[in-house]
Amino acid sequence: RTGACGRSARVRHVATLARLVRGAGAAGTAGTLLPLLDLSRRLAAQKLLGGTEPGAHEALESLLDATLSSGLAPDAPEPGKLRMLALRCLASCFGLSGLGEALLPVVGQVVRTEAWAALWSADWPPPYTGKGPNPAAAAVLLNASVALRTARWQREHQGLLGAALAALRRAPQHEYVNLAVGNLLAIGGGKEDGKRTLQAQPPPPLRALAAALWNEELDTPEFCAFPAAWQPEPPRPGGGQDGGEGGGEQRRRPPRGPIP
């Protein structure tokens, strides 16, 4: 009913859902946790979380924390389905107004979990369908890389780039992974990052960017912001237009008058 009216979910409903998710996760009952995580994912996908009601952002934070804690728990029952729903919920939260940069530390913690490492510990067999936890994780990386391009703080860049390169080695042909790696390399990739990207044997567009980084072709002045903004003017031969100290005297400010 809330979705039909186009409004955000009420704060008390979101807070109640967060408590239910946390309780089901602590009990370890997959039959109860799966529909609750799916409801969280649907609310985020339809942009029904957050809003301007007092306490809306706190309720959203509580729900997202409960969803990720329960879905990415190492001993969670049916980990594939739970991880997929939790990561889909996180990826959809990037579509909520004003939350892109605020979610970057959350993604930085997610990529350091055991559940995230387990997603990429085995080869991801083709065909690359849109189902399962791995495509959901790729969507999280892509959305985070887009948010990072306009973020004021770049603290999570190295962690996200390392996670994206690890995913690229397992899924070198996946479009979302390629786009995420490309965004992160464009933000601040180095020569060694270009080498690791080339070792994954990605498609030609990403391979060209990685080769340019490896060959240091992007370090030339024309690719830098304001390349000569802070370069001092080189000294003129002879010290000035007339030679000696005459040029310096001509460029010196005239003395100010006495202050009354």
Side-chain angles (χ1 to χ4, degrees), residues 31-59:
T32 305
L33 186 57
L34 280 172
L36 292 175
L37 292 187
D38 188 49
L39 178 58
S40 301
R41 177 194 63 83
R42 289 175 179 270
L43 290 174
Q46 296 179 16
K47 300 181 180 180
L48 298 178
L49 298 175
T52 59
E53 187 177 356
H57 287 284
E58 289 77 4

Side-chain angles (χ1 to χ4, degrees), residues 145-146 148-150 154 157-158 161 164-165 178-190 193-194 197 205-206 208-210 212-213 218-219 223-225:
S145 70
V146 173
L148 193 64
R149 296 195 66 167
T150 57
Q154 307 288 324
H157 176 263
Q158 288 300 321
L161 180 56
L165 290 174
N178 276 260
L179 291 174
V181 172
N183 286 336
L184 295 169
L185 289 179
I187 293 172
D193 299 321
T197 304
L206 182 57
L209 174 60
L213 286 172
L218 300 183
D219 294 336
F223 290 100
C224 299

Side-chain angles (χ1 to χ4, degrees), residues 38 63 69 131 153 196 230 249 257:
D38 188 49
L63 177 60
S69 300
K131 301 179 181 179
W153 306 102
R196 294 175 61 189
W230 308 112
E249 293 292 338

